[in-house]
C-alpha cells in the first residue's frame, strides 16, 4: 500500500470559498454551495448520517456491492486502474475490490476533503493489499491527473457511488459525465450509484432525522463560514429544513432564519439582513427513476452494460464507446 498526494488543490482554496460564499449568499434565494459541507467535522457528521437507520443510501449500496461485485467484474474488460470519486469511508471500494480478478490494480481516490481521503486511505490500507494514490482535488482535476499518468496497459474503471451524482443539477450532471468520458478511452467503464425516487415521508426522514444529525451537518456550514471567513452567524438562530421538490425530483436542504437578523462575513465583505423565515438553500439531492440512467449515460458516451437495484437504490455500469 502506498499513499501519496499525487495532486493537491490549488492554494486558492480559501479564496475560492470566500468568493463562492460572497456570490451565493447574495443570490435570490440565498444559497451556500453543498460542496463546502465537508470540512473535517462535516465529513464526520456525514459518516454518522450513513449509519442512521433513516438514511439507507450507504447500507443498501453496500449490500448491492457485496451481492453483485463479481457480476460487475464479469462485465468488465481487464482493469488495471480504478478511480473512486468521493470515496467516503473507503468501505464500498473494499467490498467491490474483494471480487476483483487477480491482477495488479492501482486505486486512485479523489476528493477535495483531506479528512475524507485520509480516512478512506487508512481503511483501504487496513483491509486490502491495493496500491492507493490519493488526489486532494476536484473530481475533474483528479480524473485528468489519472488520465495524464496512464500507461498503455489495462482499462480504467471510474467508480462514483453514494448517490454523489445526485448533488449535481441536470446540466452539471451532463457536463460532468461528458468531462469524465473525455478523460477515458473506449472500453473503460463507469459505475454509478444513484438513489431512486421513493415515498416522500421516507425521503424526508432520511434528510431530517429524529436524532438531528443531518441538522447538525447542515448547520455546521455556518460554523465553517464563521471559522474560515470571519462570519458572525448565530447558528442557534438558523434551523434545518428538508423539503421534497417533486417537480424537480430532488430533496432540498435549507437553513431558515428564525428571526430578522443581521449577519456579517468579514472575510468576503458581506453585511446581510435576513428576514424571519428567510431560507439559505444549502443542498439539492436529486432522486432518479432507474430508467433515467441509460439515457443519462448515453448522452455522455457510455452504453449501459448492467444495472442492479434494491430498495430504491441502483448501481449502473456503463462502458465508454
Ligand atoms: C453526499 N450526498 C450524496 C448526500 C446526499 O444524500 O445528498 C449528502 C447528504 N445530505 C444530507 N444527508 C446526506
Amino acid at each position: 500500500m502506498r499513499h501519496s498526494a499525487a495532486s493537491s488543490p490549488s492554494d486558492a482554496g480559501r479564496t475560492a470559498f470566500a468568493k463562492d460564499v460572497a456570490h451565493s449568499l447574495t443570490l435570490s434565494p440565498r444559497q451556500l454551495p453543498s460542496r463546502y459541507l465537508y470540512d473535517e467535522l462535516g465529513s464526520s457528521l456525514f459518516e454518522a448520517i450513513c449509519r442512521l437507520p433513516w438514511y439507507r443510501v450507504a447500507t443498501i449500496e453496500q449490500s448491492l456491492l457485496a451481492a453483485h461485485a463479481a457480476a460487475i467484474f464479469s462485465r468488465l474488460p481487464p482493469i488495471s486502474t480504478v478511480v473512486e470519486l468521493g470515496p467516503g469511508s473507503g468501505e464500498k471500494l473494499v467490498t467491490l475490490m474483494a471480487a476483483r480478478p487477480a491482477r495488479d490494480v492501482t486505486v486512485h481516490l479523489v476528493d477535495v476533503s483531506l479528512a475524507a481521503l485520509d480516512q478512506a486511505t487508512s481503511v483501504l490500507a487496513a483491509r486490502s493489499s491495493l496500491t492507493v494514490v490519493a488526489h486532494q482535488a476536484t473530481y475533474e482535476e483528479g480524473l485528468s491527473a489519472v488520465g495524464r499518468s496512464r500507461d498503455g496497459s489495462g482499462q480504467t474503471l471510474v467508480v462514483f457511488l453514494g448517490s454523489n451524482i445526485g448533488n449535481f443539477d441536470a446540466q452539471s450532471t451532463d457536463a460532468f459525465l461528458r468531462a469524465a468520458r473525455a478523460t477515458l478511452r473506449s472500453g473503460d467503464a463507469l459505475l454509478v450509484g444513484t438513489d431512486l425516487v421513493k415515498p416522500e415521508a421516507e425521503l424526508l426522514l432520511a434528510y431530517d432525522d429524529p436524532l438531528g444529525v443531518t441538522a447538525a451537518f447542515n448547520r455546521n456550514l455556518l460554523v465553517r463560514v464563521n471559522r474560515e471567513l470571519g462570519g458572525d452567524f448565530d447558528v442557534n438562530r438558523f434551523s434545518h429544513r428538508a423539503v421534497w421538490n417533486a417537480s424537480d425530483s430532488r430533496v432540498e436542504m435549507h437553513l431558515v432564519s428564525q428571526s430578522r437578523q443581521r449577519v456579517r462575513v468579514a472575510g468576503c465583505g458581506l453585511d446581510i439582513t435576513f428576514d424571519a423565515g428567510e431560507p439559505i438553500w444549502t443542498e439539492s439531492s436529486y432522486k432518479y427513476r432507474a430508467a433515467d440512467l441509460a439515457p443519462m449515460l448515453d448522452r455522455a458516451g457510455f452504453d449501459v452494460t448492467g444495472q442492479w437495484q434494491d430498495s430504491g437504490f441502483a448501481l449502473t455500469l456503463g462502458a465508454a464507446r
Side-chain angles (χ1 to χ4, degrees):
M1 170 99 183
R2 173 168 56 93
H3 302 179
S4 66
S7 49
S8 50
S10 50
D11 20 312
R14 190 158 302 205
T15 316
F17 184 31
K19 210 172 137 204
D20 288 343
V21 168
H23 171 71
S24 53
L25 273 183
T26 48
L27 293 172
S28 178
R30 299 188 195 281
Q31 300 178 33
L32 282 170
S34 62
R35 63 181 170 278
Y36 294 114
L37 288 162
Y38 303 90
D39 62 354
E40 201 173 340
L41 178 57
S43 297
S44 299
L45 288 166
F46 177 61
E47 284 307 312
I49 288 171
C50 290
R51 291 164 191 260
L52 295 173
W54 307 282
Y55 185 82
R56 298 179 60 226
V57 168
T59 42
I60 297 168
E61 185 175 58
Q62 185 70 25
S63 55
L64 273 174
L65 285 167
H68 303 294
I72 291 168
F73 275 104
S74 75
R75 295 182 194 206
L76 291 170
I79 296 292
S80 57
T81 305
V82 172
V83 187
E84 183 168 20
L85 307 175
S89 67
E91 300 280 347
K92 293 169 290 193
L93 200 57
V94 169
T95 305
L96 176 67
M97 296 308 285
R100 73 188 186 277
R103 76 172 272 156
D104 281 348
V105 176
T106 300
V107 167
H108 295 260
L109 304 178
V110 181
D111 206 300
V112 285
S113 159
L114 195 54
L117 279 177
D118 282 349
Q119 194 191 351
T121 12
S122 340
V123 167
L124 281 154
R127 308 256 313 270
S128 77
S129 54
L130 293 159
T131 301
V132 177
V133 183
H135 301 259
Q136 191 189 3
T138 64
Y139 298 148
E140 289 86 350
E141 285 166 353
L143 280 169
S144 301
V146 177
R148 284 194 302 273
S149 67
R150 185 168 183 176
D151 64 20
S153 67
Q155 304 264 189
T156 294
L157 169 66
V158 175
V159 177
F160 197 28
L161 298 174
S163 208
N164 283 334
I165 200 164
N167 295 132
F168 296 159
D169 63 24
Q171 210 184 337
S172 312
T173 299
D174 279 350
F176 165 76
L177 289 173
R178 286 204 178 98
R181 172 64 190 87
T183 67
L184 298 175
R185 296 180 188 159
S186 176
D188 289 346
L190 172 69
L191 180 68
V192 198
T194 47
D195 201 14
L196 303 178
V197 174
K198 45 183 78 64
E200 179 171 1
E202 224 179 288
L203 287 167
L204 293 183
L205 256 184
Y207 288 83
D208 194 2
D209 64 88
L211 288 181
V213 183
T214 312
F217 172 66
N218 196 9
R219 294 162 86 214
N220 178 54
L221 194 43
L222 301 183
V223 178
R224 181 176 186 178
V225 171
N226 286 351
R227 185 184 64 243
E228 294 186 19
L229 301 177
D232 67 357
F233 276 101
D234 182 346
V235 178
N236 282 319
R237 292 169 74 195
F238 284 84
S239 58
H240 168 68
R241 180 175 72 192
V243 287
W244 169 236
N245 178 335
S247 53
D248 292 322
S249 198
R250 66 187 184 215
V251 177
E252 297 172 3
M253 291 203 312
H254 300 265
L255 289 164
V256 183
S257 176
Q258 290 309 288
S259 55
R260 189 173 167 84
Q261 56 182 315
R262 205 163 147 189
V263 175
R264 276 187 57 74
V265 186
C268 45
L270 280 182
D271 199 338
I272 300 171
T273 300
F274 287 90
D275 287 329
E278 186 174 352
I280 307 172
W281 180 7
T282 53
E283 186 188 67
S284 294
S285 198
Y286 287 82
K287 307 300 167 189
Y288 303 87
R289 288 176 179 77
D292 298 339
L293 278 307
M296 190 169 104
L297 291 187
D298 178 64
R299 286 196 294 277
F302 295 93
D303 293 323
V304 168
T305 52
Q307 190 171 64
W308 298 267
Q309 278 185 65
D310 186 26
S311 309
F313 193 87
L315 287 174
T316 306
L317 185 64
R321 285 196 287 275

